[in-house]
Amino acid sequence: MAEASSQGPTLFSPFKMGKFNLSHRVVLAPMTRCRALNGLPQPALAEYYTQRSTNGGFLITEGTLVSDTGAGFPHVPGIYNDEQVEAWKKVVDAVHAKGAIIFCQLWHVGRASHEVYQPGGGSPISSTDVPISRRWRILLPDASHATYPKPRRLETPEILQVVEHYRQAALNAIRAGFDGIEIHGAHGYLIDQFLKDGINDRTDEYGGSLANRCKFLLQVVQAVVGAVGADRVGVRISPAIDHLDAVDSAPLTLGLGVIERLNKLQQDWGSKLTYLHVTQPRYAAYGQTESGKPGSDEEEAVFMRTLRNAYRGTFVASGGYTRELGIHAVASRDADLVSYGRLFISNPDLVLRLKLNAPLTRYNRKTFYTQDPVVGYTDYPFLSNANGKEEPLSRL
Ligand SMILES: Cc1cc2nc3c(=O)[nH]c(=O)nc-3n(C[C@H](O)[C@H](O)[C@H](O)COP(=O)(O)O)c2cc1C
């Protein structure tokens, strides 16, 4: 694969993302890390995010709860009360001091929850009352795993209350100093539970047709944009990822349907969202393949390219990108930006390492979701103190 053409963009060339001047195209993907004890960002989060900050770099936070019914992992941060806003300010200030730009990912897990995470031990909410299948297990606060319980199907009038939680959370995020927010519409969580026809079995105006299944996402987008402006809002979708049973019978049609509607909104507003972030089918996590029907590399590249060409705005690609694939995606204009997840966990100076083609440290899955504020979180080595212990990229 070509490193980069002398004229075209490279993974390391600047990019204007709406009003933000990025110095390179390597983005920190949103990643839940379970270190925000009792929902409050701790000093360790400031350390973790500043370690991964570069001057002009772009970071997206871990999924951050829009309400107290939104959790499905232990110790995830929230952005729905003043204490959380105050705690986030310290993280955001530390990241800004390094010259980086940071968006807060707004998250509600919907049915991917458990009574232990719900206020009053109630049932998790969703588009449906069908639970996630026994193929999947939820991580509980005591580190054990359980099957997912039966959710409570939201009544039609309740849905606008959830939309309002997203709007308020976006305002809170801006109050905390974030440069913008990302709406998490991916990976089988609440918004995806409305989008996918393999989950959404509603008979009201939020179910059935593609237009109806898109309605909740679009209401969230419009509410959030109305509150903080389109130029501070990104949207994430994963039409081809079947994580947590989020299967759709026509992923490409779904992706294009969402994009067509976002394009139309952008036209009506006369301004663009900051970006669209799409997880690509080849992404596999938790040791399992997440694409329901894994296609060939070429089929998957065509899938992403089709969405990229349809969307009128900045396109961020995520999922399984190595150095070589990221360089190729930007050089071939398949993506404007590439978000890196697992490699960024274990390589706080990933941007420098990719630039230098330096060896990469291998990540340890066992500490992805543990609570230690240092181990597996802020103790991965920088090039300057790595002592040559890294494993080559080909081994990851
Ligand atoms: C530990 C872990 C936590 C994650 N948490 C989130 C999350 O909170 N929100 C989200 O949109 N994606 C989440 N993801 C998915 C990543 O953003 C990313 O799309 C995925 O890891 C694929 O990219 P990679 O191959 O570079 O790791 C998570 C992934 C991992 C490994």
Side-chain angles (χ1 to χ4, degrees), residues 2-16 22-27 308 323-338 340 351 354-355:
E3 178 93 347
S5 84
S6 53
Q7 285 91 29
T10 81
L11 191 57
F12 310 109
S13 57
F15 181 72
K16 193 154 168 49
L22 307 187
S23 61
H24 58 81
R25 322 288 186 101
V26 179
V27 176
R308 193 273 198 278
R323 176 177 188 272
E324 195 182 35
L325 288 171
I327 286 172
H328 181 68
V330 172
S332 60
R333 298 179 198 266
D334 282 348
D336 296 305
L337 305 170
V338 178
Y340 286 84
V351 181
L354 294 180
K355 232 183 228 173

Short mmCIF file of all heavy atoms in Angstrom, two decimals, residues 2-16 22-27 308 323-338 340 351 354-355:
data_model
loop_
_atom_site.label_atom_id
_atom_site.label_comp_id
_atom_site.label_asym_id
_atom_site.label_seq_id
_atom_site.Cartn_x
_atom_site.Cartn_y
_atom_site.Cartn_z
N ALA A 2 0.46 2.25 -0.73
CA ALA A 2 1.26 3.48 -0.79
C ALA A 2 1.23 4.19 0.55
O ALA A 2 0.21 4.23 1.22
CB ALA A 2 0.70 4.40 -1.86
N GLU A 3 2.33 4.75 0.95
CA GLU A 3 2.42 5.51 2.22
C GLU A 3 1.51 6.73 2.14
O GLU A 3 0.68 6.94 2.97
CB GLU A 3 3.89 5.89 2.44
CG GLU A 3 4.16 6.71 3.66
CD GLU A 3 4.54 5.85 4.87
OE1 GLU A 3 4.38 4.62 4.87
OE2 GLU A 3 4.99 6.45 5.81
N ALA A 4 1.68 7.53 1.12
CA ALA A 4 0.82 8.69 0.88
C ALA A 4 1.33 9.37 -0.37
O ALA A 4 2.51 9.36 -0.63
CB ALA A 4 0.92 9.67 2.03
N SER A 5 0.41 9.94 -1.13
CA SER A 5 0.88 10.65 -2.30
C SER A 5 1.42 12.00 -1.86
O SER A 5 1.07 12.51 -0.81
CB SER A 5 -0.25 10.85 -3.30
OG SER A 5 -0.98 12.00 -2.94
N SER A 6 2.30 12.59 -2.68
CA SER A 6 2.92 13.85 -2.25
C SER A 6 1.89 14.98 -2.24
O SER A 6 2.00 15.90 -1.45
CB SER A 6 4.11 14.18 -3.13
OG SER A 6 3.69 14.14 -4.48
N GLN A 7 0.84 14.89 -3.08
CA GLN A 7 -0.15 15.97 -3.10
C GLN A 7 -1.32 15.72 -2.15
O GLN A 7 -1.82 16.63 -1.54
CB GLN A 7 -0.75 16.15 -4.51
CG GLN A 7 0.16 16.83 -5.50
CD GLN A 7 0.99 15.80 -6.26
OE1 GLN A 7 0.56 14.66 -6.43
NE2 GLN A 7 2.18 16.17 -6.68
N GLY A 8 -1.74 14.47 -2.05
CA GLY A 8 -2.98 14.16 -1.34
C GLY A 8 -2.84 14.22 0.16
O GLY A 8 -1.75 14.40 0.69
N PRO A 9 -3.98 14.07 0.86
CA PRO A 9 -3.93 14.10 2.32
C PRO A 9 -3.25 12.86 2.88
O PRO A 9 -3.27 11.80 2.26
CB PRO A 9 -5.41 14.12 2.70
CG PRO A 9 -6.13 13.50 1.55
CD PRO A 9 -5.32 13.82 0.33
N THR A 10 -2.65 12.98 4.03
CA THR A 10 -2.09 11.82 4.71
C THR A 10 -2.68 11.76 6.11
O THR A 10 -3.30 12.71 6.58
CB THR A 10 -0.56 11.89 4.84
OG1 THR A 10 -0.24 12.72 5.96
CG2 THR A 10 0.10 12.45 3.59
N LEU A 11 -2.47 10.64 6.79
CA LEU A 11 -2.96 10.48 8.15
C LEU A 11 -2.38 11.56 9.07
O LEU A 11 -2.95 11.86 10.12
CB LEU A 11 -2.55 9.08 8.64
CG LEU A 11 -3.13 8.55 9.94
CD1 LEU A 11 -4.66 8.52 9.90
CD2 LEU A 11 -2.60 7.14 10.22
N PHE A 12 -1.27 12.14 8.64
CA PHE A 12 -0.58 13.10 9.50
C PHE A 12 -0.69 14.53 8.97
O PHE A 12 0.02 15.42 9.45
CB PHE A 12 0.89 12.69 9.66
CG PHE A 12 1.00 11.24 10.05
CD1 PHE A 12 1.47 10.29 9.15
CD2 PHE A 12 0.57 10.81 11.29
CE1 PHE A 12 1.53 8.94 9.49
CE2 PHE A 12 0.62 9.46 11.65
CZ PHE A 12 1.09 8.52 10.74
N SER A 13 -1.55 14.75 7.99
CA SER A 13 -1.69 16.13 7.51
C SER A 13 -2.87 16.79 8.21
O SER A 13 -3.80 16.13 8.67
CB SER A 13 -1.82 16.17 5.98
OG SER A 13 -2.90 15.40 5.55
N PRO A 14 -2.83 18.14 8.29
CA PRO A 14 -3.89 18.86 9.01
C PRO A 14 -5.25 18.67 8.35
O PRO A 14 -5.34 18.31 7.18
CB PRO A 14 -3.45 20.33 8.90
CG PRO A 14 -2.05 20.31 8.46
CD PRO A 14 -1.82 19.02 7.74
N PHE A 15 -6.30 18.92 9.11
CA PHE A 15 -7.65 18.81 8.57
C PHE A 15 -8.54 19.82 9.28
O PHE A 15 -8.47 19.98 10.49
CB PHE A 15 -8.20 17.39 8.78
CG PHE A 15 -9.59 17.22 8.23
CD1 PHE A 15 -9.79 17.16 6.86
CD2 PHE A 15 -10.68 17.15 9.08
CE1 PHE A 15 -11.07 17.03 6.34
CE2 PHE A 15 -11.97 17.02 8.56
CZ PHE A 15 -12.17 16.95 7.18
N LYS A 16 -9.38 20.48 8.49
CA LYS A 16 -10.32 21.42 9.08
C LYS A 16 -11.64 20.69 9.30
O LYS A 16 -12.36 20.40 8.36
CB LYS A 16 -10.50 22.62 8.16
CG LYS A 16 -11.20 23.76 8.85
CD LYS A 16 -10.84 25.11 8.23
CE LYS A 16 -11.77 26.20 8.75
NZ LYS A 16 -11.93 26.25 10.19
N LEU A 22 -7.58 20.71 13.02
CA LEU A 22 -6.86 19.55 13.54
C LEU A 22 -5.47 19.50 12.90
O LEU A 22 -5.30 19.81 11.72
CB LEU A 22 -7.62 18.26 13.23
CG LEU A 22 -9.09 18.20 13.66
CD1 LEU A 22 -9.65 16.79 13.44
CD2 LEU A 22 -9.25 18.60 15.13
N SER A 23 -4.49 19.07 13.69
CA SER A 23 -3.12 19.03 13.17
C SER A 23 -2.80 17.68 12.52
O SER A 23 -1.78 17.52 11.87
CB SER A 23 -2.13 19.33 14.29
OG SER A 23 -2.23 18.35 15.30
N HIS A 24 -3.66 16.68 12.75
CA HIS A 24 -3.48 15.36 12.12
C HIS A 24 -4.83 14.63 12.14
O HIS A 24 -5.82 15.16 12.67
CB HIS A 24 -2.40 14.54 12.86
CG HIS A 24 -2.72 14.33 14.31
ND1 HIS A 24 -3.58 13.37 14.76
CD2 HIS A 24 -2.31 15.01 15.42
CE1 HIS A 24 -3.68 13.44 16.07
NE2 HIS A 24 -2.92 14.44 16.51
N ARG A 25 -4.89 13.41 11.60
CA ARG A 25 -6.18 12.70 11.40
C ARG A 25 -6.38 11.51 12.32
O ARG A 25 -7.25 10.68 12.09
CB ARG A 25 -6.28 12.19 9.95
CG ARG A 25 -5.71 13.10 8.84
CD ARG A 25 -6.55 14.29 8.60
NE ARG A 25 -6.13 15.09 7.47
CZ ARG A 25 -6.70 15.07 6.26
NH1 ARG A 25 -7.68 14.25 6.01
NH2 ARG A 25 -6.29 15.88 5.31
N VAL A 26 -5.53 11.35 13.31
CA VAL A 26 -5.61 10.20 14.22
C VAL A 26 -6.46 10.60 15.44
O VAL A 26 -6.08 11.45 16.22
CB VAL A 26 -4.21 9.76 14.70
CG1 VAL A 26 -4.30 8.58 15.67
CG2 VAL A 26 -3.31 9.43 13.52
N VAL A 27 -7.64 9.97 15.56
CA VAL A 27 -8.62 10.36 16.59
C VAL A 27 -8.66 9.28 17.69
O VAL A 27 -8.58 8.09 17.39
CB VAL A 27 -10.02 10.48 15.93
CG1 VAL A 27 -11.10 10.78 16.96
CG2 VAL A 27 -9.99 11.53 14.83
N ARG A 308 -19.52 6.77 2.89
CA ARG A 308 -18.67 7.96 2.88
C ARG A 308 -19.04 8.89 1.71
O ARG A 308 -19.14 10.10 1.86
CB ARG A 308 -17.21 7.50 2.74
CG ARG A 308 -16.17 8.55 3.01
CD ARG A 308 -15.83 9.37 1.79
NE ARG A 308 -14.58 10.06 1.94
CZ ARG A 308 -14.43 11.21 2.57
NH1 ARG A 308 -15.44 11.80 3.15
NH2 ARG A 308 -13.25 11.78 2.63
N ARG A 323 -1.84 0.90 11.36
CA ARG A 323 -1.16 2.06 10.78
C ARG A 323 -1.37 2.07 9.26
O ARG A 323 -1.76 3.07 8.68
CB ARG A 323 0.33 2.00 11.12
CG ARG A 323 1.14 3.12 10.49
CD ARG A 323 2.60 3.05 10.93
NE ARG A 323 3.31 4.23 10.47
CZ ARG A 323 3.89 4.35 9.29
NH1 ARG A 323 3.86 3.34 8.43
NH2 ARG A 323 4.50 5.47 8.94
N GLU A 324 -1.12 0.93 8.66
CA GLU A 324 -1.18 0.84 7.20
C GLU A 324 -2.58 1.12 6.68
O GLU A 324 -2.77 1.88 5.72
CB GLU A 324 -0.73 -0.57 6.80
CG GLU A 324 -0.39 -0.70 5.36
CD GLU A 324 0.00 -2.12 5.01
OE1 GLU A 324 -0.58 -3.07 5.60
OE2 GLU A 324 0.86 -2.29 4.14
N LEU A 325 -3.59 0.52 7.33
CA LEU A 325 -4.97 0.71 6.87
C LEU A 325 -5.42 2.16 7.06
O LEU A 325 -6.17 2.71 6.25
CB LEU A 325 -5.92 -0.24 7.62
CG LEU A 325 -5.81 -1.71 7.24
CD1 LEU A 325 -6.62 -2.58 8.21
CD2 LEU A 325 -6.28 -1.95 5.81
N GLY A 326 -4.98 2.79 8.15
CA GLY A 326 -5.34 4.19 8.40
C GLY A 326 -4.72 5.11 7.36
O GLY A 326 -5.38 6.00 6.81
N ILE A 327 -3.45 4.87 7.07
CA ILE A 327 -2.76 5.67 6.04
C ILE A 327 -3.47 5.51 4.70
O ILE A 327 -3.75 6.48 4.00
CB ILE A 327 -1.27 5.24 5.95
CG1 ILE A 327 -0.51 5.77 7.18
CG2 ILE A 327 -0.64 5.70 4.65
CD1 ILE A 327 0.92 5.26 7.30
N HIS A 328 -3.83 4.28 4.41
CA HIS A 328 -4.48 4.00 3.12
C HIS A 328 -5.87 4.66 3.06
O HIS A 328 -6.24 5.25 2.04
CB HIS A 328 -4.59 2.50 2.92
CG HIS A 328 -5.22 2.14 1.61
ND1 HIS A 328 -4.61 2.37 0.41
CD2 HIS A 328 -6.43 1.61 1.33
CE1 HIS A 328 -5.41 1.99 -0.56
NE2 HIS A 328 -6.52 1.52 -0.03
N ALA A 329 -6.63 4.57 4.18
CA ALA A 329 -8.00 5.13 4.17
C ALA A 329 -7.97 6.63 3.89
O ALA A 329 -8.80 7.14 3.13
CB ALA A 329 -8.68 4.86 5.51
N VAL A 330 -7.03 7.33 4.50
CA VAL A 330 -6.98 8.79 4.30
C VAL A 330 -6.43 9.11 2.91
O VAL A 330 -6.98 9.96 2.19
CB VAL A 330 -6.15 9.48 5.40
CG1 VAL A 330 -5.94 10.95 5.07
CG2 VAL A 330 -6.85 9.32 6.75
N ALA A 331 -5.36 8.41 2.52
CA ALA A 331 -4.74 8.71 1.22
C ALA A 331 -5.71 8.44 0.07
O ALA A 331 -5.74 9.16 -0.92
CB ALA A 331 -3.47 7.89 1.04
N SER A 332 -6.55 7.40 0.22
CA SER A 332 -7.49 7.06 -0.85
C SER A 332 -8.82 7.80 -0.67
O SER A 332 -9.77 7.53 -1.38
CB SER A 332 -7.72 5.55 -0.87
OG SER A 332 -8.26 5.16 0.37
N ARG A 333 -8.87 8.68 0.31
CA ARG A 333 -10.04 9.53 0.61
C ARG A 333 -11.26 8.70 1.01
O ARG A 333 -12.40 9.13 0.83
CB ARG A 333 -10.36 10.48 -0.55
CG ARG A 333 -9.20 11.44 -0.83
CD ARG A 333 -9.50 12.38 -2.00
NE ARG A 333 -8.28 12.97 -2.50
CZ ARG A 333 -7.79 14.15 -2.13
NH1 ARG A 333 -8.41 14.86 -1.22
NH2 ARG A 333 -6.67 14.62 -2.64
N ASP A 334 -11.03 7.53 1.55
CA ASP A 334 -12.15 6.73 2.08
C ASP A 334 -12.58 7.26 3.44
O ASP A 334 -13.65 6.91 3.94
CB ASP A 334 -11.75 5.25 2.22
CG ASP A 334 -11.79 4.54 0.88
OD1 ASP A 334 -12.34 5.12 -0.08
OD2 ASP A 334 -11.26 3.42 0.79
N ALA A 335 -11.73 8.06 4.07
CA ALA A 335 -12.08 8.67 5.36
C ALA A 335 -11.32 9.99 5.48
O ALA A 335 -10.21 10.11 4.94
CB ALA A 335 -11.69 7.76 6.52
N ASP A 336 -11.94 10.95 6.18
CA ASP A 336 -11.21 12.19 6.48
C ASP A 336 -10.35 11.97 7.73
O ASP A 336 -9.25 12.49 7.83
CB ASP A 336 -12.19 13.34 6.74
CG ASP A 336 -13.01 13.66 5.50
OD1 ASP A 336 -12.40 13.92 4.45
OD2 ASP A 336 -14.26 13.63 5.59
N LEU A 337 -10.93 11.24 8.68
CA LEU A 337 -10.26 10.99 9.96
C LEU A 337 -10.43 9.51 10.28
O LEU A 337 -11.40 8.89 9.88
CB LEU A 337 -10.92 11.82 11.07
CG LEU A 337 -11.02 13.33 10.86
CD1 LEU A 337 -11.91 13.96 11.93
CD2 LEU A 337 -9.64 13.98 10.92
N VAL A 338 -9.49 8.97 11.05
CA VAL A 338 -9.57 7.57 11.45
C VAL A 338 -9.51 7.51 12.98
O VAL A 338 -8.59 8.08 13.58
CB VAL A 338 -8.40 6.75 10.87
CG1 VAL A 338 -8.47 5.30 11.33
CG2 VAL A 338 -8.42 6.83 9.34
N TYR A 340 -8.95 5.48 16.42
CA TYR A 340 -8.25 4.29 16.91
C TYR A 340 -8.70 4.02 18.34
O TYR A 340 -8.72 4.93 19.17
CB TYR A 340 -6.73 4.50 16.89
CG TYR A 340 -6.14 4.45 15.50
CD1 TYR A 340 -6.13 5.57 14.68
CD2 TYR A 340 -5.60 3.26 14.99
CE1 TYR A 340 -5.59 5.52 13.39
CE2 TYR A 340 -5.06 3.20 13.71
CZ TYR A 340 -5.06 4.32 12.92
OH TYR A 340 -4.54 4.26 11.65
N VAL A 351 -0.01 8.64 18.27
CA VAL A 351 0.18 9.50 17.09
C VAL A 351 1.67 9.54 16.72
O VAL A 351 2.04 9.35 15.55
CB VAL A 351 -0.35 10.93 17.36
CG1 VAL A 351 -0.17 11.80 16.13
CG2 VAL A 351 -1.82 10.88 17.78
N LEU A 354 2.78 6.12 15.33
CA LEU A 354 2.34 5.88 13.95
C LEU A 354 3.19 6.71 12.99
O LEU A 354 3.58 6.23 11.93
CB LEU A 354 0.86 6.22 13.79
CG LEU A 354 -0.14 5.34 14.57
CD1 LEU A 354 -1.57 5.80 14.30
CD2 LEU A 354 0.01 3.86 14.21
N LYS A 355 3.46 7.95 13.41
CA LYS A 355 4.25 8.84 12.55
C LYS A 355 5.65 8.26 12.32
O LYS A 355 6.17 8.26 11.21
CB LYS A 355 4.39 10.19 13.26
CG LYS A 355 3.99 11.36 12.42
CD LYS A 355 4.23 12.64 13.20
CE LYS A 355 3.02 13.52 13.10
NZ LYS A 355 3.07 14.70 13.92
#
